[in-house]
Each structure stands twice: as C-alpha cells, then as structure tokens.
Amino acid sequence: MSLDDLRRAADAARANAWCPYSHYPVGAALETDDGRVFVGCNVENASYPAGICAERVALGTAIAHGARRFVRVVITSAAAEPTPPCGICRQALVEFAPALEIFAVTPDGRTAHWSLAALLPAPFTPASLENA
Ligand code: THU
C-alpha cells in the first residue's frame, strides 16, 4: 500500500474520532508485514483519563484480528504540524514493532517521518522482564 493509501485510510478513521473534549481528531493506519491495514481513531471519555489514542485503537484492533508484526503507521490530525505519537503509544507499539516506521501527515500534506527506535530509545520490552 502506498503512503497516500495509508493516509486516506487514517483520514477515514479520523472522520469517526470521538473527541468532544479536546476537539483534536486523530486517525491512524497501521500496516502489517503481510500488507494488511488496521485503522483507529481517538476515543475520548467524560472521565478524561479513560480516553484512548488512535494508534492504540488501531493496534488493539489489529491484535484482535490476529496480526502481530507491523512495519508502518500513518497518523493524521487536523493540526498544522505533523502529530507524533504520544509516549504511551510509543511504548504500546514497541512491544510488537521495534523497527516500526512512523509517518505523520497534516491536512495540507506536510509529512514527518521517524523510526520508533529514534522516538523511544532504550525501550522497556518483553526481554526486559527476563533481567529480573
Ligand atoms: N491523540 C492521539 O489519538 N494520538 C496522538 O498521537 C496524539 C494524541 C489524541 C488523544 C486525545 O484524544 C487528543 O488526541 C488530544 O490529546
């Protein structure tokens, strides 16, 4: 799938975002190593901490469908600057995709690109548990 296809998938999910508190809709399209794509949007809650980011909705949906390995995620928002994944999402993603490539795209097409390894150096991983 092209980056533009993934962006369109993320934007379609973003249209369904539930964000009456932040008014900051986010969409995510997570691509597996065998070419499947799972999308998510942020889902906020009147109890604010119960809200969840678009990336983790996409990840949970993918896991529920049996996917385990991911190569790329595209994040879209309405912000003028590309939206990077929050710290909790970085940690959630590294469990399954330490080599994930992350793209964030603005409505006018400005694109940022990072590796998850660069955004989350020295991650806590399943292997970390073996050192106890
Ligand atoms: N949010 C995401 O869904 N993904 C990100 O990468 C950054 C932040 C959401 C959480 C909250 O619903 C809103 O954006 C404002 O923080």
Side-chain angles (χ1 to χ4, degrees):
M1 219 181 214
S2 72
L3 187 61
D4 218 46
D5 290 335
L6 290 169
R7 175 200 182 174
R8 272 191 286 274
D11 270 342
R14 180 162 66 98
N16 294 322
W18 178 251
C19 55
Y21 311 106
S22 72
H23 304 287
Y24 192 94
V26 183
L30 183 61
E31 184 182 38
T32 66
D33 66 347
D34 60 0
R36 288 180 288 165
V37 177
F38 297 93
V39 300
C41 62
N42 50 335
V43 183
E44 298 184 348
N45 193 276
S47 175
Y48 296 174
I52 182 168
C53 293
E55 296 90 326
R56 276 175 290 140
V57 170
L59 179 63
T61 302
I63 296 300
H65 281 83
R68 292 290 185 271
R69 289 189 299 275
F70 308 101
V71 292
R72 206 160 37 154
V73 66
V74 174
I75 302 162
T76 65
S77 75
E81 295 296 323
T83 296
C86 81
I88 297 172
C89 289
R90 296 177 196 190
Q91 179 63 35
L93 290 164
V94 81
E95 177 93 0
F96 299 97
L100 191 69
E101 295 297 321
I102 300 169
F103 294 83
V105 189
T106 67
D108 64 4
R110 290 185 56 196
T111 303
H113 169 237
W114 310 272
S115 67
L116 181 56
L119 292 187
L120 189 65
F124 188 87
T125 68
S128 307
L129 293 171
E130 288 160 21
N131 300 327

